[in-house]
Amino acid sequence: MTSRDGAVQTRYRVLYGDVDAMNVMYYANYLRLFERGRAELMRDRGLAYKIMEAQGFLMPATEAHVHYLKSARYDDLLLVETRAEQVKRASIKFCYEVFRSEDGEAEKLADGWTLHACVTPEGKVVRLPENVLKVLKGE
């Protein structure tokens, strides 16, 4: 679902396997939420990762940052908002916000970003194709 500001919203229910012994979502699982949000943003814009790979390019993460504000817990309904920002010739920065979204209330739990390079299957950095640049810039 796309919000008014162009972010794509993805819902996720925290599973028992996502939490640690303290019933708190394991910190690295926020990066999995980011991945889910990023994949849904691409799919929402008509360019699933599967399509990009078939066109001969990949987008590995080169940097990642998570700012934790509050803990997600087992069975929380989360909302991940994802935006494509700083779309450059051969890289893209995606920004994320994670909210607990129960009963119409939204409480921000975390935010962060990932930076991705555009590369060939052999790992050579290449420019993003024009059609991909347009899609990511929302044109």
Side-chain angles (χ1 to χ4, degrees):
M1 168 188 345
T2 304
S3 70
R4 284 177 282 154
D5 65 357
V8 169
Q9 299 177 333
T10 306
R11 297 199 181 284
Y12 181 77
R13 178 78 60 183
V14 178
L15 303 172
Y16 189 72
D18 293 329
V19 301
D20 60 20
M22 297 178 292
N23 196 36
V24 171
M25 191 161 82
Y26 181 64
Y27 75 94
N29 285 336
Y30 287 85
L31 292 172
R32 288 181 54 237
L33 291 177
F34 290 2
E35 180 181 5
R36 181 180 296 264
R38 187 171 61 252
E40 292 305 318
L41 179 142
M42 299 299 286
R43 182 173 284 110
D44 183 73
R45 296 195 177 166
L47 192 63
Y49 273 106
K50 190 180 209 179
I51 293 169
M52 292 186 304
E53 289 175 359
Q55 292 177 356
F57 67 95
L58 309 169
M59 291 185 3
T62 59
E63 293 183 49
H65 173 80
V66 184
H67 179 217
Y68 304 97
L69 303 167
K70 296 185 178 185
S71 298
R73 299 186 176 276
Y74 171 67
D75 205 42
D76 282 348
L77 180 59
L78 305 182
L79 178 68
V80 181
E81 290 194 355
T82 308
R83 293 168 186 77
E85 297 187 3
Q86 296 181 10
V87 179
K88 298 183 179 179
R89 289 181 185 176
S91 67
I92 307 161
K93 183 177 185 179
F94 292 93
C95 295
Y96 314 88
E97 292 180 291
V98 179
F99 299 89
R100 185 179 357 260
S101 179
E102 301 280 351
D103 304 320
E105 297 291 318
E107 178 182 22
K108 190 172 180 179
L109 303 180
D111 57 43
W113 53 266
T114 56
L115 184 63
H116 300 261
C118 181
V119 302
T120 65
E122 297 76 33
K124 180 182 176 195
V125 176
V126 294
R127 288 183 178 205
L128 285 160
E130 275 303 313
N131 67 318
V132 176
L133 284 170
K134 287 181 180 178
V135 165
L136 291 171
K137 289 180 178 180
E139 297 176 359

